[in-house]
């Protein structure tokens, strides 16, 4: 299968090339030339097996095709259980059982498993650049840690991630270099973009990126939606599973949307946003108008220009009317997020991270309006990762998952740098 840029249907790359490059050379996003036909999907015994079967058509003719089952086995080493909530026919799909306690572990580990197989040159390692507002950097650092032929450079905005997030970002070492940038997330992203577009630098330091536009992260995320909806359908006599997805850059939601287009028994898909309302405004009929992001307590969704939007539009043939009909998107403010976390704990003993709570609120609204059927909320992070928000609301300490407490017990180090491109280049050239 060939891959093209959303901006140029005449361009063509193999899957491996698209995964290595991240962004297409014209600044567009890689998409399959044609989406595989909607087909009768079958569930495997494990998430890894389902995903390998699902993704096989995307890997046809690629050098990685024969490796796909092994790549999936490596990436999907932890479960994504669907658990019932206290309210009838409501479920939570827990995507936070990986090493850094967020759904991004699935995509990051799949990408690492692909790139490890494509770049075995320890003499001239490939450097993966990541600008992170918190969760991505840790997932990528963990996934690439100690992989031969690869190294990771993480940039995060000093003082703008939670203390536990900061610790996770700095605790790897070895082939992972972490920098705290005296600036904003946008400053970090600008530095990374400039490096990725710097041909001269890359003659010395080959670079790639691992942000949420990477096909190597997007494709595997379909796996848990397909696996879960197929098993749910079998267990519940053919019922479709409707989903609410906490959304920032649209990577996770887009995976569900494509999974449904490929034949997964998913019903409605609702997007939950925080106070960053670019998508809700667009789906309500407004223009698509990127904004400067505003800071919220669901910080991994603080996105003013969702970077997968171009892919979503491509999927709907740039037909805005059809796109608006296909989904709803709802903005949830910080007070409502807090109120939802507090109330669900008081009433039902359920504990959600701030991102997941946006989706819980959207589901409650759907039920309040008479919404029927089985609905699942995607739980994108473990609440213990955001203890400074959640603990005061529920009035008790959170239990920390073993993998997370293991990371938190290691020493952490991140060098402080100014948001200066020359400084970054010096750092990149040093190793
Ligand atoms: C990254 C992230 C999101 C947003 O996911 P997108 O794919 O960017 O839409 C939501 N919740 C958590 C906890 C995240 O880390």
């Amino acid at each position: 299968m060939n891959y093209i840029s959303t901006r140029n249907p005449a361009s063509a790359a193999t899957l491996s090339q698209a995964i290595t490059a991240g962004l297409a050379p014209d600044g567009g996003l890689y998409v399959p030339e044609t989406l595989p036909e909607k087909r009768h999907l079958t569930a495997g015994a494990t998430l890894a097996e389902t995903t390998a079967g699902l993704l096989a058509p995307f890997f046809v003719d690629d050098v990685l095709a024969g490796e796909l089952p092994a790549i999936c086995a490596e990436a999907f080493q932890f479960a994504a259980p669907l658990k019932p909530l206290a309210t009838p026919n409501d479920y939570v799909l827990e995507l936070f059982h990986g090493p850094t306690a967020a759904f991004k572990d699935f995509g990051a580990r799949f990408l690492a498993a692909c790139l490890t197989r494509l770049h075995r040159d320890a003499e001239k390692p490939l450097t993966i650049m990541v600008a992170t507002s918190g969760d991505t950097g840790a997932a990528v650092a963990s996934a690439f840690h100690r992989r031969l032929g690869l190294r990771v450079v993480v940039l995060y905005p000093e003082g703008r991630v939670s203390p536990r997030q900061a610790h996770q970002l700095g605790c790897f070492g070895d082939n992972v270099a972490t920098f705290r940038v005296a600036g904003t997330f946008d400053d970090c992203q600008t530095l990374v973009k400039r490096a990725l577009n710097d041909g001269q630098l890359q003659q010395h330091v080959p670079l790639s990126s691992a942000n949420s536009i990477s096909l190597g992260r997007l494709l595997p995320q379909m796996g848990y939606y397909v696996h879960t909806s197929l098993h749910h359908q079998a267990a519940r006599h053919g019922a479709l599973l409707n989903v609410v997805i906490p959304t920032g850059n649209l990577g996770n939601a887009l995976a569900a949307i494509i999974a449904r287009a490929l034949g997964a028994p998913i019903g409605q898909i609702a997007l939950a946003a925080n106070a960053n309302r670019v998508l809700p405004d667009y789906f309500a009929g407004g223009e698509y108008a990127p904004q400067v992001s505003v800071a919220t307590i669901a910080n991994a969704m603080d996105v003013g220009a969702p970077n997968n939007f171009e892919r979503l539009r491509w999927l709907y043939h740039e037909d805005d009317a059809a796109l608006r009909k296909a989904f709803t998107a709802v903005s949830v403010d910080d007070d409502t997020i807090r109120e939802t976390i507090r109330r669900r704990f008081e009433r039902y003993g359920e504990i959600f991270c701030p991102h997941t709570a946006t989706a819980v609120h959207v589901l409650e609204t759907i039920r309040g309006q008479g919404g029927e059927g089985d609905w699942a909320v995607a739980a994108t992070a473990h609440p213990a990762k955001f203890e400074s928000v959640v603990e005061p609301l529920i009035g008790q300490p959170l239990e920390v998952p073993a993998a997370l407490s293991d990371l938190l017990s290691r020493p952490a180090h991140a060098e402080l740098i100014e948001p200066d491109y020359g400084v970054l280049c010096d750092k990149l050239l040093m190793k």
Side-chain angles (χ1 to χ4, degrees), residues 102-104 135 212 246-252 300-301 353 355 380-381 386:
F103 82 93
K104 292 189 175 81
D135 282 346
S212 67
T247 295
N249 271 316
L250 254 174
N252 199 9
M301 290 153 57
C353 89
H355 313 80
T380 47
F386 300 91

Side-chain angles (χ1 to χ4, degrees), residues 322-384:
L323 190 45
R324 289 195 180 105
K325 253 197 227 134
F327 310 99
T328 47
V330 179
S331 165
V332 184
D333 64 31
D334 277 0
D335 284 345
T336 309
I337 296 173
R338 287 195 192 92
E339 196 269 329
T340 304
I341 294 174
R342 192 184 299 123
R343 185 172 36 77
R344 292 295 298 205
F345 178 70
E346 260 170 33
R347 276 197 201 159
Y348 309 118
E350 294 167 352
I351 306 176
F352 300 107
C353 89
H355 313 80
T356 308
T358 64
V360 172
H361 172 74
V362 171
L363 175 53
E364 290 173 342
T365 308
I366 290 169
R367 293 298 191 197
Q369 293 165 348
E372 292 182 344
D374 293 350
W375 281 83
V377 161
T380 47
H382 192 285

Side-chain angles (χ1 to χ4, degrees), residues 40 43 45 56 105 125-126 138 153 172 183 258 260 272 275 313 316 359 382 404:
H40 182 76
D105 283 323
L126 182 68
V153 171
F172 289 95
I258 300 176
R260 183 173 69 178
R313 235 183 195 159
Y316 279 80
H382 192 285
L404 186 55

